Amino acid sequence: MSYLAEAMDVLDELGPRLGIARFQESLDPAWIEEALGATGSASMRRRRFPAEQVVWLIIGIGLFANRSILEVSEHLNLVVPGVPRVAPSSVSDARYRLGHEPMKWLFQKVATAWSCSPGLGGYHGLALFGVDGTHLRVPDSDDNYERFGKLGGRGGSGDAGYPQLRLCTLLSLDTRLIVGARFGPFIRSEQDLATELWPSLPDRSLTILDRGFVNYRVFAKLVSSGTDRHVMVRMRDNMKYERLELLPDGTELALLRPSTNVLAEEPDVAPSLTVRIVHYQHPDGKASRLCVTLLDPALYPAKELVELYHERWELEIAYDEMKTHMLHRKESMRSQKPDGVEQEVWGLLLAYNLVRREMLLVAAKCKVPPKQISFWNSLLRIRDFWTFAGMTRSPGNIPARLADMEADLATLVLPLRRKDRRY
């Protein structure tokens, strides 16, 4: 048996495998070809840096935020065989020839394929989702300033140090896989970006939102346009409703009605929406209310719903994983041009989902929930193995390295999270 065959056998014994070879099993190479074809990039002639390799470079940039783009390219050997080195200008030219559209198409393909993994949590048969926004800094070039703008500072509008983009994502709260994403200039609100994400919500789902996303039109359309699509949102203090009935568990059956402005802008909107109002107050906290379209108090007890609402914080954890662990708190892209920035963001989201996909496989092997696997340790091991695979010229060393990783597999499992934390 050859050294390479022996290495692959050890990989098979490990189950979830790390590095580009493993990623290629999750990210089907046919999808990359399809992305290039669908966005008109397949016609790019074969150069020293083919388009397929540039896609992997952009994903590698998302995984190795602390390395220069040229380092990532050379380190991962992402060049045509027989070409020992590429010039920095070749790497930059290859990136901008590719553009951001293939990366966007590929992300959406991956997100659709992985969005609904059965048996991974949920609530009474409903898959759990959340929507929220964040922002990322971009280099302070004139082009980036014109495209993304700056938030206000002491000197007034546009006085901040760096341009910033606004990012809004749809996240599976069961797996922390990003199901959909939209981003644009900082001036675009999270609510505006989210309008492009609502159609991605599947049937038999519950979407949990913070009060910043209260929107009668969105709720009415979501509930009426699919099968078993539900919403739960924390209510604003001034949000009004019409009480219909006080239910046995202390919750209220109520009607929401559109405002006159909504009716004027959209006359065909549903005239009312039946909801359930859940009142609650944590110790030392202020009184709060949840508005939910799950109406049966016997099937969906109020206490369960209050506890379930805090699953929304999985989105904040996901953003922290990207910003703290993947971007090392720089929270900044590298590109001086808007198209490069957008390409990087799609690559970062793809890299994040690929790491999360590996974590799902590890969780299945360890027989624990996906959220009990450490993102940081998983990311470190993926980086380490990718680094090792890129540096080594001796496949015979791979089995020993992988044996070490197998022994460390248990370190990926986190202790159970405390359920009594509320703030």
Side-chain angles (χ1 to χ4, degrees):
M1 181 183 292
S2 69
Y3 285 126
L4 185 57
E6 181 183 358
M8 293 301 102
D9 284 346
V10 174
L11 281 162
D12 283 330
E13 292 173 6
L14 267 180
R17 305 203 293 275
L18 308 179
I20 291 180
R22 179 64 191 89
F23 276 2
Q24 284 177 330
E25 290 190 9
S26 292
L27 187 57
D28 190 336
W31 292 351
I32 296 178
E33 293 289 343
E34 207 175 336
L36 297 174
T39 56
S41 301
S43 60
M44 292 170 57
R45 65 184 178 87
R46 303 292 291 184
R47 304 171 186 248
R48 288 190 169 190
F49 219 144
E52 298 88 344
Q53 300 292 67
V54 181
V55 170
W56 283 110
L57 170 66
I58 305 307
I59 295 172
I61 290 171
L63 282 173
F64 294 95
N66 60 338
R67 293 177 179 264
S68 71
I69 294 175
L70 185 60
E71 280 184 292
V72 175
S73 169
E74 292 182 343
H75 177 68
L76 302 179
N77 295 319
L78 293 175
V79 292
V80 171
V83 178
R85 184 181 179 88
V86 294
S89 59
S90 297
V91 177
S92 179
D93 290 346
R95 281 191 59 206
Y96 285 104
R97 281 197 306 271
L98 181 72
H100 73 274
E101 286 296 336
M103 303 304 298
K104 178 181 179 180
W105 191 98
L106 190 58
F107 168 81
Q108 292 172 335
K109 179 73 173 182
V110 166
T112 301
W114 298 346
S115 60
C116 293
S117 300
L120 294 175
Y123 178 67
H124 290 280
L126 301 174
L128 298 178
F129 294 91
V131 174
D132 206 354
T134 188
H135 62 272
L136 296 169
R137 291 198 302 265
V138 299
D140 193 13
S141 67
D142 291 341
D143 288 342
N144 284 342
Y145 173 72
E146 290 297 324
R147 173 71 175 88
F148 300 109
K150 297 180 180 180
L151 74 163
R154 291 183 179 180
S157 177
D159 184 53
Y162 290 88
Q164 297 190 36
L165 64 82
R166 182 93 63 182
L167 170 67
C168 190
T169 62
L170 171 65
L171 188 88
S172 166
L173 302 181
D174 298 319
T175 63
R176 276 195 226 138
L177 281 166
I178 298 173
V179 178
R182 291 294 184 273
F183 54 88
F186 190 81
I187 196 172
R188 285 194 68 182
S189 68
E190 297 171 357
Q191 294 84 352
D192 183 30
L193 290 167
T195 58
E196 301 176 30
L197 297 175
W198 303 127
S200 301
L201 284 167
D203 293 338
R204 292 174 290 282
S205 63
L206 171 63
T207 303
I208 304 175
L209 303 166
D210 195 12
R211 58 186 175 182
F213 287 90
V214 170
N215 187 313
Y216 178 87
R217 277 177 289 194
V218 169
F219 298 165
K221 286 181 180 178
L222 281 179
V223 172
S224 63
S225 62
T227 302
D228 265 352
R229 285 186 185 174
H230 295 278
V231 177
M232 179 162 64
V233 64
R234 189 160 64 100
M235 298 173 67
R236 296 173 180 151
D237 292 340
N238 62 350
M239 188 171 168
K240 297 179 181 179
Y241 59 91
E242 178 184 334
R243 183 205 267 191
L244 296 177
E245 180 184 352
L246 181 63
L247 299 174
D249 65 345
T251 61
E252 299 173 274
L253 201 63
L255 284 181
L256 297 183
R257 297 189 185 276
S259 66
T260 54
N261 289 337
V262 170
L263 285 172
E265 294 172 5
E266 196 169 340
D268 294 334
V269 72
S272 64
L273 179 64
T274 304
V275 297
R276 189 162 148 234
I277 309 299
V278 180
H279 298 262
Y280 70 100
Q281 183 172 4
H282 293 304
D284 301 321
K286 61 179 291 186
S288 299
R289 302 173 298 174
L290 295 177
C291 174
V292 61
T293 57
L294 299 172
L295 306 181
D296 188 341
L299 187 58
Y300 311 109
K303 183 178 179 181
E304 286 185 2
L305 294 176
V306 171
E307 292 178 353
L308 186 66
Y309 176 76
H310 294 277
E311 291 293 311
R312 193 194 73 80
W313 289 100
E314 297 298 328
L315 258 163
E316 304 296 342
I317 295 173
Y319 284 145
D320 178 71
E321 289 168 343
M322 278 190 281
K323 290 184 172 185
T324 301
H325 301 320
M326 296 185 73
L327 296 178
H328 302 282
R329 292 303 304 171
K330 295 178 182 177
E331 302 175 24
S332 178
M333 301 295 99
R334 315 172 189 226
S335 300
Q336 301 292 321
K337 299 178 181 179
D339 191 60
V341 169
E342 295 187 20
Q343 185 188 67
E344 281 187 69
V345 175
W346 291 119
L348 174 67
L349 298 174
L350 260 170
Y352 177 83
N353 267 359
L354 282 166
V355 174
R356 276 274 154 210
R357 172 72 169 175
E358 297 304 312
M359 293 169 65
L360 293 182
L361 299 174
V362 171
K365 182 179 178 66
C366 295
K367 296 181 174 58
V368 297
K371 290 185 289 189
Q372 206 177 330
I373 300 298
S374 166
F375 182 88
W376 175 235
N377 283 331
S378 299
L379 178 63
L380 286 179
R381 278 154 180 75
I382 288 171
R383 283 174 175 169
D384 287 348
F385 187 78
W386 206 338
T387 299
F388 177 78
M391 292 175 60
T392 184
R393 292 293 184 271
S394 176
N397 292 333
I398 294 177
R401 174 64 175 166
L402 291 175
D404 291 341
M405 292 180 64
E406 183 176 22
D408 289 343
L409 192 61
T411 65
L412 300 178
V413 180
L414 297 169
L416 290 174
R417 190 183 303 170
R418 286 171 49 195
K419 292 186 177 181
D420 59 339
R421 298 182 68 179
R422 290 289 177 266
Y423 301 103

